[in-house]
Amino acid sequence: MIRLRQVYESIVSNKLRSSVLIALVCLSVHGITVFNDYNLDDNLVTQNHRLTSKGVKAIPKIYRS
């Protein structure tokens, strides 16, 4: 019974370490994008687009199209 508990704790510990490692890698790779401004096509996609310029009420149509 003690051996089974040690195996379980080892698995949980390894999963936690793996999860933390993956999170750190993702943050280090993509974290710099937080400080980016709009891109060149953002104005076209978010402001001058026939669906997205309608706001929240266009969400169902955006998902259908």
Side-chain angles (χ1 to χ4, degrees):
M1 186 70 175
I2 293 174
R3 176 75 179 138
L4 195 62
R5 183 177 178 100
Q6 289 172 342
V7 169
Y8 174 75
E9 288 174 356
S10 174
I11 291 171
V12 169
S13 176
N14 287 338
K15 283 185 178 182
L16 181 62
R17 275 193 216 118
S18 298
S19 298
V20 169
L21 180 64
I22 290 171
L24 288 175
V25 168
C26 290
L27 283 173
S28 67
V29 171
H30 298 289
I32 193 69
T33 62
V34 171
F35 303 109
N36 288 351
D37 288 331
Y38 280 135
N39 200 343
L40 294 175
D41 67 344
D42 288 345
N43 187 27
L44 188 91
V45 172
T46 59
Q47 294 176 356
N48 297 330
H49 191 270
R50 64 180 175 84
L51 288 176
T52 58
S53 61
K54 292 181 181 178
V56 176
K57 61 184 173 185
I59 290 176
K61 190 163 184 168
I62 291 170
Y63 278 113
R64 284 192 305 256
S65 63

